[in-house]
Amino acid sequence: MNTNASPPQLTPRAIILAIVLAMILAAANTYLGLFAGLTIASAIPAAVVSMAVLRVLGGGHILENNIVQTGASAGSAIAAGVV
């Protein structure tokens, strides 16, 4: 048995939360891009919101938070590129 095993990074709740945050941040970024003509970087808001949501859902660790933040900011960056 490996006692130095790290907690799982890619969990179902991390994937679902990343998709939900990507949709919300992409919609906000698209609206802002079309309305004001500029977009924002959403990596920091994605990280902060994912930390809070994972804490409410029962724990969460930095590796799981990294997966959520990466997915959410990537989805929002794609929307910004489309605008």
Side-chain angles (χ1 to χ4, degrees):
M1 182 171 162
N2 187 1
T3 58
N4 294 329
S6 62
Q9 298 180 38
L10 196 59
T11 61
R13 73 177 182 172
I15 295 170
I16 293 169
L17 184 57
I19 292 170
V20 169
L21 282 177
M23 290 188 323
I24 292 170
L25 291 172
N29 218 1
T30 303
Y31 175 77
L32 183 63
L34 293 174
F35 182 75
L38 59 105
T39 59
I40 59 169
S42 60
I44 294 174
V48 172
V49 171
S50 68
M51 278 190 281
V53 171
L54 287 173
R55 181 73 47 109
V56 169
L57 291 177
H61 44 81
I62 192 68
L63 299 175
E64 192 175 27
N65 186 40
N66 186 31
I67 293 294
V68 177
Q69 184 263 333
T70 301
S73 65
S76 183
I78 291 171
V82 170
V83 170

mmCIF file of all heavy atoms in Angstrom, residues 9 14 17-18 23 27-28 31 40-41 50-51 53 56 58 62 67 76-77 79:
data_model
loop_
_atom_site.group_PDB
_atom_site.id
_atom_site.type_symbol
_atom_site.label_atom_id
_atom_site.label_comp_id
_atom_site.label_asym_id
_atom_site.label_seq_id
_atom_site.Cartn_x
_atom_site.Cartn_y
_atom_site.Cartn_z
ATOM 1 N N GLN A 9 -7.291 13.911 -8.563
ATOM 2 C CA GLN A 9 -7.469 15.228 -9.150
ATOM 3 C C GLN A 9 -8.740 15.301 -9.979
ATOM 4 O O GLN A 9 -9.521 16.227 -9.850
ATOM 5 C CB GLN A 9 -6.287 15.573 -10.050
ATOM 6 C CG GLN A 9 -4.965 15.642 -9.358
ATOM 7 C CD GLN A 9 -3.859 15.977 -10.321
ATOM 8 O OE1 GLN A 9 -4.038 16.784 -11.223
ATOM 9 N NE2 GLN A 9 -2.704 15.370 -10.129
ATOM 10 N N ALA A 14 -15.483 17.626 -9.875
ATOM 11 C CA ALA A 14 -14.597 18.632 -10.464
ATOM 12 C C ALA A 14 -14.959 18.881 -11.921
ATOM 13 O O ALA A 14 -14.981 20.025 -12.375
ATOM 14 C CB ALA A 14 -13.141 18.190 -10.344
ATOM 15 N N LEU A 17 -18.416 20.741 -11.991
ATOM 16 C CA LEU A 17 -18.248 22.131 -11.549
ATOM 17 C C LEU A 17 -17.489 22.952 -12.588
ATOM 18 O O LEU A 17 -17.824 24.119 -12.823
ATOM 19 C CB LEU A 17 -17.542 22.176 -10.198
ATOM 20 C CG LEU A 17 -17.372 23.537 -9.558
ATOM 21 C CD1 LEU A 17 -18.717 24.223 -9.368
ATOM 22 C CD2 LEU A 17 -16.647 23.406 -8.230
ATOM 23 N N ALA A 18 -16.505 22.367 -13.237
ATOM 24 C CA ALA A 18 -15.764 23.077 -14.278
ATOM 25 C C ALA A 18 -16.680 23.421 -15.450
ATOM 26 O O ALA A 18 -16.611 24.532 -15.998
ATOM 27 C CB ALA A 18 -14.589 22.236 -14.756
ATOM 28 N N MET A 23 -19.607 27.607 -18.349
ATOM 29 C CA MET A 23 -20.796 28.161 -18.997
ATOM 30 C C MET A 23 -21.140 29.535 -18.432
ATOM 31 O O MET A 23 -21.438 30.466 -19.192
ATOM 32 C CB MET A 23 -21.987 27.211 -18.834
ATOM 33 C CG MET A 23 -21.852 25.948 -19.636
ATOM 34 S SD MET A 23 -23.291 24.872 -19.671
ATOM 35 C CE MET A 23 -23.981 24.964 -18.059
ATOM 36 N N ALA A 27 -20.603 32.979 -20.580
ATOM 37 C CA ALA A 27 -21.742 33.854 -20.871
ATOM 38 C C ALA A 27 -21.464 35.283 -20.413
ATOM 39 O O ALA A 27 -21.750 36.245 -21.140
ATOM 40 C CB ALA A 27 -23.000 33.313 -20.197
ATOM 41 N N ALA A 28 -20.899 35.431 -19.224
ATOM 42 C CA ALA A 28 -20.580 36.765 -18.718
ATOM 43 C C ALA A 28 -19.510 37.437 -19.573
ATOM 44 O O ALA A 28 -19.603 38.632 -19.875
ATOM 45 C CB ALA A 28 -20.116 36.673 -17.270
ATOM 46 N N TYR A 31 -21.066 38.462 -22.968
ATOM 47 C CA TYR A 31 -21.897 39.657 -22.820
ATOM 48 C C TYR A 31 -21.033 40.904 -22.685
ATOM 49 O O TYR A 31 -21.284 41.918 -23.339
ATOM 50 C CB TYR A 31 -22.820 39.512 -21.607
ATOM 51 C CG TYR A 31 -23.613 40.759 -21.329
ATOM 52 C CD1 TYR A 31 -24.727 41.077 -22.097
ATOM 53 C CD2 TYR A 31 -23.238 41.638 -20.317
ATOM 54 C CE1 TYR A 31 -25.449 42.226 -21.865
ATOM 55 C CE2 TYR A 31 -23.956 42.795 -20.078
ATOM 56 C CZ TYR A 31 -25.059 43.084 -20.849
ATOM 57 O OH TYR A 31 -25.762 44.228 -20.622
ATOM 58 N N ILE A 40 -12.516 39.916 -20.049
ATOM 59 C CA ILE A 40 -11.693 39.838 -18.849
ATOM 60 C C ILE A 40 -11.057 38.458 -18.759
ATOM 61 O O ILE A 40 -11.541 37.499 -19.351
ATOM 62 C CB ILE A 40 -12.520 40.114 -17.575
ATOM 63 C CG1 ILE A 40 -13.664 39.112 -17.454
ATOM 64 C CG2 ILE A 40 -13.025 41.534 -17.566
ATOM 65 C CD1 ILE A 40 -14.365 39.126 -16.130
ATOM 66 N N ALA A 41 -9.979 38.361 -18.019
ATOM 67 C CA ALA A 41 -9.381 37.066 -17.714
ATOM 68 C C ALA A 41 -10.167 36.458 -16.560
ATOM 69 O O ALA A 41 -10.374 37.104 -15.532
ATOM 70 C CB ALA A 41 -7.920 37.243 -17.333
ATOM 71 N N SER A 50 -14.417 28.271 -7.360
ATOM 72 C CA SER A 50 -14.279 26.823 -7.218
ATOM 73 C C SER A 50 -13.806 26.441 -5.822
ATOM 74 O O SER A 50 -14.254 25.436 -5.279
ATOM 75 C CB SER A 50 -13.328 26.265 -8.271
ATOM 76 O OG SER A 50 -12.012 26.693 -8.048
ATOM 77 N N MET A 51 -12.932 27.244 -5.224
ATOM 78 C CA MET A 51 -12.526 26.962 -3.842
ATOM 79 C C MET A 51 -13.721 27.033 -2.899
ATOM 80 O O MET A 51 -13.892 26.173 -2.036
ATOM 81 C CB MET A 51 -11.458 27.954 -3.381
ATOM 82 C CG MET A 51 -10.074 27.611 -3.818
ATOM 83 S SD MET A 51 -8.811 28.613 -3.024
ATOM 84 C CE MET A 51 -8.931 30.104 -3.960
ATOM 85 N N VAL A 53 -17.004 26.738 -3.645
ATOM 86 C CA VAL A 53 -17.996 25.700 -3.907
ATOM 87 C C VAL A 53 -17.502 24.336 -3.441
ATOM 88 O O VAL A 53 -18.258 23.566 -2.843
ATOM 89 C CB VAL A 53 -18.376 25.682 -5.403
ATOM 90 C CG1 VAL A 53 -19.238 24.485 -5.742
ATOM 91 C CG2 VAL A 53 -19.089 26.967 -5.774
ATOM 92 N N VAL A 56 -17.878 24.079 0.274
ATOM 93 C CA VAL A 56 -19.269 23.856 0.677
ATOM 94 C C VAL A 56 -19.680 22.410 0.408
ATOM 95 O O VAL A 56 -20.410 21.811 1.194
ATOM 96 C CB VAL A 56 -20.203 24.844 -0.058
ATOM 97 C CG1 VAL A 56 -21.662 24.471 0.112
ATOM 98 C CG2 VAL A 56 -19.967 26.252 0.447
ATOM 99 N N GLY A 58 -17.960 19.835 0.639
ATOM 100 C CA GLY A 58 -17.301 18.872 1.513
ATOM 101 C C GLY A 58 -15.833 18.689 1.203
ATOM 102 O O GLY A 58 -15.439 17.681 0.642
ATOM 103 N N ILE A 62 -6.326 21.230 -3.296
ATOM 104 C CA ILE A 62 -5.749 22.115 -4.296
ATOM 105 C C ILE A 62 -5.672 21.463 -5.671
ATOM 106 O O ILE A 62 -5.826 22.123 -6.687
ATOM 107 C CB ILE A 62 -4.371 22.632 -3.833
ATOM 108 C CG1 ILE A 62 -3.885 23.777 -4.701
ATOM 109 C CG2 ILE A 62 -3.353 21.508 -3.810
ATOM 110 C CD1 ILE A 62 -4.688 25.025 -4.555
ATOM 111 N N ILE A 67 -8.066 21.528 -11.313
ATOM 112 C CA ILE A 67 -8.807 20.987 -12.452
ATOM 113 C C ILE A 67 -10.009 21.875 -12.762
ATOM 114 O O ILE A 67 -10.284 22.215 -13.921
ATOM 115 C CB ILE A 67 -9.261 19.544 -12.168
ATOM 116 C CG1 ILE A 67 -8.056 18.613 -12.073
ATOM 117 C CG2 ILE A 67 -10.245 19.048 -13.212
ATOM 118 C CD1 ILE A 67 -7.290 18.454 -13.367
ATOM 119 N N SER A 76 -14.033 29.921 -20.728
ATOM 120 C CA SER A 76 -14.259 31.357 -20.849
ATOM 121 C C SER A 76 -13.305 31.986 -21.876
ATOM 122 O O SER A 76 -13.678 32.913 -22.582
ATOM 123 C CB SER A 76 -14.084 32.027 -19.489
ATOM 124 O OG SER A 76 -14.357 33.389 -19.571
ATOM 125 N N ALA A 77 -12.101 31.480 -21.963
ATOM 126 C CA ALA A 77 -11.139 32.001 -22.935
ATOM 127 C C ALA A 77 -11.591 31.687 -24.360
ATOM 128 O O ALA A 77 -11.388 32.502 -25.271
ATOM 129 C CB ALA A 77 -9.756 31.431 -22.676
ATOM 130 N N ALA A 79 -14.706 31.487 -25.325
ATOM 131 C CA ALA A 79 -15.778 32.441 -25.599
ATOM 132 C C ALA A 79 -15.213 33.819 -25.918
ATOM 133 O O ALA A 79 -15.718 34.524 -26.802
ATOM 134 C CB ALA A 79 -16.729 32.517 -24.425
#
